[in-house]
Amino acid sequence: MSTNQPTKYLLQPPADAQCLLAPAKLNLDLRIIGRRSDGYHLLESIFTLISLYDRLWLRVNSSGEIKLHTPIENVDPQQDLTVRAATLLRQQSGKKLGADIWLQKNIPMGGGLGGGSSDAALVLMALNQLWQLNLNQMQLQQLGLQLGADVPFFIFGQTAFAQGIGEKLSQIQIPKQWYVIIKPPVHVSTPKIFAHKDLTRNSTPRIMPDFQARQHWRNDMQKVVTAEYPEVKNALNILANFGKPMMSGSGSCVFLAFADEDTAQAVYNQVSNAHQAYCVASLNKHPFYK
Ligand code: C5P
């Protein structure tokens, strides 16, 4: 992975804490095909994991406390998705279990790359093992859905065609690709975009998208996001010099896909002087399952 982001330093977690990687995701295609009575949107999306990671350390404690040692500025630690995930799993277990958590954020927040959801998914997957709860993958995915619509995908842990609000997942084969991502200097509000009056909500449902037809892949949220946030449109214009870029999730990140690493790296080298950028590869499997 290449990035022009400065290295982040962290209060050093203890040596006996388990260190784990929480990968980011990209939505290679995202269509909105309807809306449920509770206001949630019915989606069809292709999700892939990428080699950009938050780093999480976990250690079980006997005090029964769930403690995040690295709170994010302006976020109440109790509202942090890692703490909410651990608390939800502990409630499910009915036991008095504790965990210490350290988190190093590398995935940009508010970027449509799923960092918070990935962190929450990893806490569920790892504490399920460390607390010896033996929940199966489907049970963890169902719990994860209570924390966010993207969480089940990270527990599923491989490239997926997602339906429903993101909880119905099927494996889909896509050749390895490299991506150049630009993070525009803006934070997109997901609820604001989902509530937008001009959002496309009537795309035609499909059985299963085909990789050969990828030149037609699109993101139904891109039109309203670019209208509301000129920074996203600007980032798309920059990548459009090299191919057909797309936005991930509800933005703000935009990306371009490449079949080979050298071309991706050459484009990254051209854009990374002036923009917050990343050069990453798709992952076959979540590192937790390797
Ligand atoms: O699930 P997540 O926390 O990512 O969703 C944030 C907000 O986006 C939800 O509160 C909802 O307003 C909207 N949303 C939606 N349909 C989805 C996913 C999210 O309307 N499938």
Side-chain angles (χ1 to χ4, degrees):
M1 200 265 299
S2 307
T3 178
N4 51 0
Q5 283 303 92
T7 312
K8 296 197 180 85
Y9 294 97
L10 172 82
L11 165 80
Q12 198 53 44
D16 59 348
Q18 189 179 1
C19 180
L20 298 155
L21 294 175
K25 59 90 176 161
L26 288 174
N27 297 92
L28 303 183
D29 185 82
L30 196 165
R31 302 183 191 202
I32 304 175
I33 62 165
R35 202 175 194 178
R36 292 197 320 202
S37 51
D38 63 0
Y40 263 78
H41 290 77
L42 295 166
L43 310 175
E44 284 191 351
S45 186
I46 301 172
F47 284 82
T48 192
L49 296 168
I50 54 170
S51 60
L52 166 63
Y53 308 96
D54 283 346
R55 217 169 262 267
L56 190 82
W57 288 261
L58 288 174
R59 192 177 61 181
V60 171
N61 69 51
S62 52
S63 70
E65 189 190 7
I66 290 167
K67 184 170 167 63
L68 176 64
H69 293 262
T70 51
I72 296 167
E73 218 177 305
N74 302 324
V75 179
D76 170 7
Q78 292 312 308
Q79 290 309 311
D80 189 283
L81 270 177
T82 57
V83 175
R84 287 178 52 207
T87 307
L88 182 66
L89 190 65
R90 181 174 64 182
Q91 267 165 16
Q92 175 77 17
S93 76
K95 296 180 189 158
K96 190 173 170 287
L97 299 160
D100 291 280
I101 304 170
W102 294 261
L103 180 61
Q104 183 184 41
K105 292 293 301 174
N106 302 311
I107 303 170
M109 290 189 270
L113 302 184
S117 300
S118 184
D119 301 338
L122 188 56
V123 166
L124 291 178
M125 290 145 78
L127 287 182
N128 180 47
Q129 277 189 3
L130 292 170
W131 285 343
Q132 300 178 345
L133 301 178
N134 295 320
L135 298 185
N136 64 34
Q137 188 173 307
M138 190 49 81
Q139 290 171 307
L140 289 178
Q141 287 178 207
Q142 282 162 359
L143 268 187
L145 188 60
Q146 297 180 40
L147 298 164
D150 290 347
V151 179
F153 159 70
F154 288 103
I155 298 168
F156 187 74
Q158 53 194 313
T159 307
F161 179 50
Q163 294 166 291
I165 62 165
E167 83 289 11
K168 291 183 193 146
L169 296 156
S170 331
Q171 191 191 351
I172 170 169
Q173 298 290 346
I174 288 184
K176 182 167 184 175
Q177 297 195 111
W178 284 262
Y179 303 96
V180 174
I181 301 170
I182 292 183
K183 165 73 174 68
V186 65
H187 181 118
V188 173
S189 160
T190 302
K192 176 177 158 180
I193 297 305
F194 269 119
H196 201 287
K197 66 176 178 23
D198 296 334
L199 184 67
T200 301
R201 297 188 170 88
N202 60 354
S203 282
T204 310
R206 290 157 306 165
I207 309 290
M208 175 71 92
D210 175 3
F211 183 73
Q212 301 310 328
R214 70 189 182 284
Q215 64 272 25
H216 301 299
W217 288 357
R218 63 166 195 262
N219 181 336
D220 279 343
M221 304 178 101
Q222 198 167 304
K223 200 174 87 196
V224 288
V225 173
T226 50
E228 294 284 330
Y229 301 91
E231 298 90 341
V232 176
K233 193 171 175 51
N234 184 36
L236 283 165
N237 286 343
I238 287 150
L239 286 184
N241 291 315
F242 308 97
K244 185 175 173 266
M246 255 184 64
M247 190 180 78
S248 181
S250 57
S252 58
C253 284
V254 301
F255 65 92
L256 203 48
F258 298 89
D260 75 288
E261 184 173 11
D262 289 349
T263 315
Q265 192 65 44
V267 170
Y268 168 79
N269 291 343
Q270 291 202 48
V271 300
S272 57
N273 281 338
H275 305 277
Q276 182 178 335
Y278 304 85
C279 184
V280 300
S282 53
L283 303 177
N284 255 338
K285 256 196 167 31
H286 194 299
F288 188 78
Y289 296 127
K290 281 191 177 152

